[in-house]
Amino acid sequence: MPTLNATKKPLSEQVMVITGASSGIGLVTARMAARKGAAVLLAARNESDLDEGVECIQRLGGRATWIKADVADPEQVERIADEAMREFGRIDTWVNNAAVSLYGKLTDLKVEDMRRLADVTFWGTVYGSLAAVERMRAAGGTIINVASVLADRAVPLQGIYSAMKHAVRAFSDTLRMELELDDVPVSVSVIKPGSMDTPLFEKAKTYLDEEPQPIPPVYAPEAVAETILACARHPRREVTVGGISGLLSVGQHVSPRVTDKYLQRYGVTRQLSGKPVEPDRRDNLHHPVPHDGGERGRNWDGRVLKRSLYTRSQLNPGTTALTLAGLGVAMMLGSRVLGRRNGYVVELDE
């Protein structure tokens, strides 16, 4: 039976497939993996940004190629896998990172928009995972599914995105168990980032009057990329990126009603940038937008944290006490009860 935490090949000997690799977390991960010697296949819908990303990697001496593909189409996902096998001969790590986002109250959203988000964010992960298992079944490998802290806890204005990230986590848990039952040497890791400074927000389709932004605190995409590469070498069941993200997950388990009230008070306003939505704004829900690449976002002007001690403690065995201590500090700083009504906390402060 495969061991979840079994050490895999050094990154310098790995072939990695990364979806959603034209910008943000996917692009940063591809560049970081190539710098460490991995051969990387970048997949996304935006071919001009993919070409630019691969050219940059190759210019620095890295091994990389790209393929234009929409992960919502299972045939195109199969072509991603076939291209990796043709170019590099195998696949050691497959990173399902592609996602699109949608902002608005559930009662305001069009069904076709909700279905499209599900096709990319959930079904794209399913198709990628199944394609990876087929190619890794004999020699083994690692599947890394990039979910979100919203896989643990839903927030207002991102209901469908939250639902699909919950689904990604459940699918990953089931796939992991079934692979172990069948003695298939493929590990499955789930990465749960908090708010990241990436172009996801400015490319999201929005039904709101203000541009969406990541809920602070915001982390650099390198924090997620480092976590992905750590799991490619030493798979973990789940890793949460960001201490406050860990707090949100704990809040859901310990007192979901308190967390409801906190998010009702702060969860909407902190997702709004105060910048009006331009009349000609374009989004990438159904089609890619021109030149949507880049590692960082433009709708966030606040401080960006480069690393998370809480996340690093999860990746290093023997640091459970440090993890718990860090989470305890986050809990003390994160919320303070000021009043109660009908048995529920109704007023919270940072």
Side-chain angles (χ1 to χ4, degrees):
M1 181 174 292
T3 303
L4 176 64
N5 294 330
T7 299
K8 305 291 183 173
K9 296 177 183 176
L11 290 173
S12 59
E13 299 177 12
Q14 288 204 24
V15 173
M16 300 185 68
V17 170
I18 303 173
T19 68
S22 62
S23 66
I25 291 169
L27 180 59
V28 172
T29 303
R31 289 174 173 171
M32 190 178 293
R35 285 197 300 269
K36 294 180 180 293
V40 188
L41 185 144
L42 291 73
R45 295 175 295 167
N46 194 312
E47 55 186 319
S48 61
D49 289 328
L50 285 170
D51 187 59
E52 182 179 334
V54 167
E55 182 182 352
C56 179
I57 290 172
Q58 293 176 341
R59 192 166 55 245
L60 296 174
R63 295 178 295 161
T65 188
W66 62 268
I67 182 171
K68 178 183 178 181
D70 184 344
V71 298
D73 181 348
E75 293 184 358
Q76 294 189 44
V77 174
E78 285 295 317
R79 288 202 292 271
I80 294 173
D82 289 341
E83 179 66 16
M85 297 298 291
R86 185 165 45 249
E87 185 74 21
F88 301 117
R90 68 179 191 279
I91 301 170
D92 298 299
T93 298
W94 184 297
V95 182
N96 287 304
N97 168 70
V100 289
S101 192
L102 177 64
Y103 280 83
K105 293 182 178 179
L106 291 173
T107 52
D108 294 336
L109 304 180
K110 294 180 181 179
V111 171
E112 56 265 32
D113 287 343
M114 291 189 279
R115 286 188 180 275
R116 172 61 183 173
L117 187 148
D119 285 342
V120 175
T121 305
F122 173 64
W123 283 108
T125 298
V126 173
Y127 301 146
S129 297
L130 297 180
V133 169
E134 185 64 25
R135 276 76 178 181
M136 296 175 178
R137 185 176 294 274
T142 303
I143 296 170
I144 299 175
N145 291 333
V146 181
S148 166
V149 65
L150 302 189
D152 293 338
R153 170 69 217 194
V155 299
L157 305 184
Q158 293 191 70
I160 294 300
Y161 185 84
S162 298
M164 292 307 100
K165 292 301 187 179
H166 273 69
V168 165
R169 183 185 179 191
F171 168 80
S172 302
D173 287 346
T174 305
L175 179 62
R176 184 187 303 111
M177 289 186 288
E178 292 177 352
L179 291 174
E180 290 181 349
L181 282 171
D182 293 340
D183 290 328
V184 178
V186 176
S187 300
V188 181
S189 293
V190 176
I191 311 298
K192 299 184 295 183
S195 292
M196 296 292 141
D197 181 20
T198 73
L200 175 72
F201 307 92
E202 65 210 43
K203 295 187 295 185
K205 181 165 185 177
T206 180
Y207 286 67
L208 309 175
D209 295 328
E210 296 179 37
E211 283 287 344
Q213 69 172 17
I215 301 174
V218 177
Y219 289 85
E222 286 80 2
V224 184
E226 290 174 355
T227 303
I228 291 172
L229 297 188
C231 287
R233 183 80 172 104
H234 303 282
R236 296 287 187 270
R237 179 188 181 90
E238 290 185 3
V239 182
T240 302
V241 181
I244 299 301
S245 302
L247 172 62
L248 193 63
S249 298
V250 170
Q252 172 66 11
H253 290 290
V254 173
S255 184
R257 187 56 174 160
V258 170
T259 309
D260 283 348
K261 291 299 181 179
Y262 182 86
L263 290 172
Q264 286 169 11
R265 176 164 181 176
Y266 294 114
V268 173
T269 57
R270 293 189 176 181
Q271 294 184 77
L272 302 177
S273 66
K275 303 172 184 176
V277 173
E278 298 295 334
D280 59 349
R281 184 186 191 276
R282 300 180 65 179
D283 64 78
N284 73 342
L285 181 61
H286 294 278
H287 306 284
V289 298
H291 308 296
D292 71 340
E295 298 179 354
R296 303 300 180 93
R298 296 189 295 271
N299 284 349
W300 173 249
D301 301 322
R303 181 187 176 203
V304 175
L305 303 176
K306 294 182 178 179
R307 60 186 59 87
S308 166
L309 180 62
Y310 173 71
T311 301
R312 290 194 173 189
S313 68
Q314 295 173 79
L315 295 172
N316 294 286
T319 57
T320 302
L322 180 61
T323 301
L324 294 175
L327 190 57
V329 171
M331 292 179 70
M332 288 189 291
L333 297 177
S335 62
R336 177 167 54 90
V337 177
L338 296 179
R340 295 175 179 273
R341 180 182 301 163
N342 297 329
Y344 296 124
V345 175
V346 296
E347 192 172 5
L348 298 155
D349 196 10
E350 287 186 305

